[in-house]
Amino acid sequence: MADKQISLPAKLINGGIAGLIGVTCVFPIDLAKTRLQNQQNGSRLYTSMSDCLIKTIRSDGYFGMYRGAAVNLTLVTPEKAIKLAANDFFRHHLSKDGKLTLLKEMLAGCGAGTCQVIVTTPMEMLKIQLQDAGRIEAQRKLMPETVAAGTVETKSPTAMQLTRELLKEKGIAGLYKGLGATLLRDVPFSIIYFPLFANLNNLGKRGMEGPAPFYVSFLSGCLAGSTAAVAVNPVDVIKTRLQSLNRGSTEDTYSGVTDCIRKILRNEGPSAFLKGAYCRALVIAPLFGIAQVIYFLGVGEFLLSFLPKKDN
């Protein structure tokens, strides 16, 4: 049987649409995850995900839960598109020389994770600043002892203000702060997620060649996504801490990945690396479940079918 050709434009459209829908649904949980991960001993404002969301609504209103959403929605489209399409691209080419083994599936995931980090890191950097801004404001109101004396209250920065400030002070490298930690998170995530999803999805296929039902793809995406998310959560905590610019007066600052690990272990204990794991699983599970359903439905292929075809 001839190799099945893949359509990269269709895959990019599928990934982009999936990212937009998924992020809109789960962004408040992602905000809670960021704030919980950034809390350090002595400045704990939130006790749980629900407590964080309730206090955020009280402090900033309902739309306060969507701080940084515009940045995420703008940039998550190419990020998800690149990640999902790159995995399909690598799997397609690695399978040309024979059976797609588990090792080849992991290599494809590794390639996909590496490609998307180029887009992910600046997006994550800006998103974390916007999400965490409300935590510092809430600390000022409810726990003033954790905010440095004499600090002037300022309005929450916009994405453009943050971008200009980082570029002015540190150049393009400012937007890529935490690149190493992002690579350590996203490459292992993709190595775990994509092979696990493919094998779970294969269990529900209709016969040897038939596709799995959409609900099997959705559940496989959710289970694989949540498993990979929890597995790499310790690195996500490190990445969040490194990319956060604003700190309370009692909170540690970090010079790099090793320094961050050492200070977290010394001051907060090993359990700190699991902060936000529950929230992260709740974010990633539907995000990738939705992505796989969009792929199953072939939305990108459907949209491209309306374009005029070139005559051979």
Side-chain angles (χ1 to χ4, degrees):
M1 185 175 68
D3 288 336
K4 182 182 177 182
Q5 297 300 311
I6 63 169
S7 170
L8 279 179
K11 298 298 183 186
L12 290 168
I13 293 171
N14 285 334
I17 293 173
L20 285 171
I21 296 172
V23 168
T24 301
C25 295
V26 303
F27 193 82
I29 305 173
D30 189 52
L31 179 139
K33 184 238 7 157
T34 297
R35 293 187 178 182
L36 288 169
Q37 287 182 338
N38 259 333
Q39 288 191 140
Q40 299 182 25
N41 290 347
S43 59
R44 292 175 62 84
L45 179 62
Y46 311 113
T47 59
S48 64
M49 179 185 73
S50 57
D51 180 56
C52 178
L53 293 176
I54 289 169
K55 286 180 177 175
T56 298
I57 292 172
R58 286 177 179 170
S59 175
D60 303 326
Y62 175 79
F63 290 106
M65 295 191 298
Y66 280 86
R67 281 178 183 266
V71 172
N72 216 24
L73 286 169
T74 300
L75 294 175
V76 81
T77 303
E79 182 259 319
K80 277 287 174 290
I82 290 169
K83 188 171 195 167
L84 295 167
N87 179 69
D88 278 353
F89 176 82
F90 288 124
R91 286 175 70 91
H92 175 72
H93 286 279
L94 286 170
S95 65
K96 282 185 174 180
D97 298 326
K99 183 181 177 182
L100 191 64
T101 62
L102 179 60
L103 178 59
K104 288 182 178 180
E105 289 183 321
M106 293 172 72
L107 285 172
C110 178
T114 304
C115 288
Q116 59 97 183
V117 162
I118 298 170
V119 176
T120 299
T121 305
M123 177 270 288
E124 288 277 349
M125 180 70 181
L126 295 173
K127 183 195 73 173
I128 285 170
Q129 309 317 312
L130 295 168
Q131 284 183 331
D132 200 46
R135 181 180 68 91
I136 301 298
E137 291 174 11
Q139 281 185 356
R140 190 191 305 279
K141 296 174 185 175
L142 302 176
M143 302 173 65
E145 69 279 4
T146 65
V147 180
T151 302
V152 179
E153 184 173 353
T154 58
K155 291 183 178 180
S156 297
T158 65
M160 287 303 297
Q161 287 172 338
L162 280 170
T163 303
R164 283 196 296 267
E165 183 179 330
L166 285 167
L167 289 173
K168 183 179 178 181
E169 293 181 4
K170 301 180 180 180
I172 194 69
L175 292 175
Y176 278 87
K177 185 179 180 182
L179 175 63
T182 306
L183 279 168
L184 288 173
R185 181 196 68 173
D186 287 346
V187 172
F189 177 93
S190 296
I191 290 173
I192 296 168
Y193 170 77
F194 286 112
L196 182 56
F197 166 77
N199 286 279
L200 288 172
N201 198 50
N202 284 339
L203 294 176
K205 277 190 172 180
R206 298 185 179 118
M208 292 295 292
E209 298 296 330
F214 79 92
Y215 59 86
V216 171
S217 294
F218 176 77
L219 292 174
S220 298
C222 289
L223 182 58
S226 57
T227 301
V230 173
V232 302
N233 193 77
V235 187
D236 192 51
V237 172
I238 295 166
K239 182 194 73 65
T240 300
R241 295 282 182 95
L242 289 175
Q243 289 183 323
S244 295
L245 301 176
N246 295 319
R247 295 285 178 202
S249 60
T250 62
E251 295 179 336
D252 288 325
T253 56
Y254 312 103
S255 60
V257 173
T258 304
D259 182 55
C260 184
I261 294 172
R262 181 173 56 81
K263 287 181 178 177
I264 290 176
L265 284 173
R266 183 185 65 199
N267 300 328
E268 302 172 62
S271 63
F273 290 107
L274 293 177
K275 285 183 177 181
Y278 176 61
C279 295
R280 182 162 165 74
L282 286 178
V283 168
I284 296 297
L287 198 59
F288 279 89
I290 290 168
Q292 298 305 338
V293 170
I294 297 295
Y295 263 56
F296 175 86
L297 295 174
V299 175
E301 289 82 353
F302 174 75
L303 293 174
L304 289 177
S305 69
F306 289 98
L307 293 177
K309 293 180 175 60
K310 293 182 179 178
D311 295 329
N312 292 328

